[in-house]
Amino acid sequence: MATVLSVSGSPSATSRTARLLRHLDRRLVAQGHRVTALDVRSLPAEALLLADFAHPAIVRATALFEQADGVVIGTPVYKAAYSGLLKSLLDLLPQYALAGKTVLPLATGGTTAHVLAIDYALRPVLASMGPAHITPGWFTLDKDITVGEDGTATLAPGPAEGLARVTDQFSAALGGRTTVLAATG
């Protein structure tokens, strides 16, 4: 199966975006993919802000992109655009860091007024990085993501179905199965 890099561009330690990504990651793992999570906020701020391409953490992050067959990019929407934190990482990657890769863009936000941020703000930047395919993205309202005591996310039924659908399309584009195996035992 494919290797997937799941990138959270949220600056928040209690991010609904990151939790949504981890929810999606579990579905991809159940479909047989190997998933590596990268929270951009865990990278050194100084390296990101000063564009230190040679910093070991930036070099490692770049290598994760190189090794991935598919990349999921998740971001909260601020002022009708993806996060500045995500932008700082994307700016440090090679111009064609997504060449030959399948990409799934995701966003979270407080209002449906931000739903077009995926197509009008994030998708053009991702497209400029040369992916083989950008699958349909998904926007989830913050209010539709409930965080349990264990930190896992549960989605409202409608958004959960939509996220499952785009995740399965992404998985199929990677050449994976799109049915989730029931847990046994």
Side-chain angles (χ1 to χ4, degrees):
M1 285 292 135
T3 299
V4 176
L5 179 61
S6 180
V7 181
S8 171
S10 176
S12 171
T14 58
S15 168
R16 291 183 188 278
T17 303
R19 289 188 167 107
L20 181 69
L21 284 165
R22 300 305 78 89
H23 175 83
L24 176 144
D25 295 350
R26 286 188 292 280
R27 186 172 185 90
L28 290 171
V29 167
Q31 293 174 342
H33 300 292
R34 292 179 310 279
V35 177
T36 300
L38 173 61
D39 292 323
V40 181
R41 70 179 190 80
S42 70
L43 298 174
E46 187 171 326
L48 289 168
L49 294 174
L50 297 178
D52 185 354
F53 294 90
H55 191 284
I58 302 303
V59 170
R60 282 190 300 277
T62 301
L64 290 175
F65 277 87
E66 289 171 3
Q67 296 160 5
D69 301 306
V71 180
V72 180
I73 301 281
T75 181
V77 176
Y78 301 121
K79 307 228 186 303
Y82 55 93
S83 75
L85 181 64
L86 178 60
K87 177 71 166 131
S88 66
L89 174 62
L90 295 177
D91 285 348
L92 290 177
L93 296 174
Q95 175 63 46
Y96 295 104
L98 299 176
K101 301 183 187 321
T102 299
V103 178
L104 169 58
L106 300 174
T108 60
T111 173
T112 57
H114 295 307
V115 73
L116 294 177
I118 290 175
D119 289 330
Y120 291 103
L122 185 56
R123 186 177 297 272
V125 172
L126 298 175
S128 77
M129 298 175 77
H133 182 52
I134 300 176
T135 62
W138 188 254
F139 178 86
T140 303
L141 287 168
D142 291 336
K143 70 177 186 71
D144 290 331
I145 305 169
T146 303
V147 178
E149 288 183 26
D150 63 354
T152 60
T154 303
L155 276 67
E161 292 167 14
L163 181 64
R165 186 174 53 255
V166 299
T167 303
D168 292 350
Q169 289 172 344
F170 174 72
S171 182
L174 290 170
R177 63 178 186 263
T178 58
T179 55
V180 177
L181 302 176
T184 58

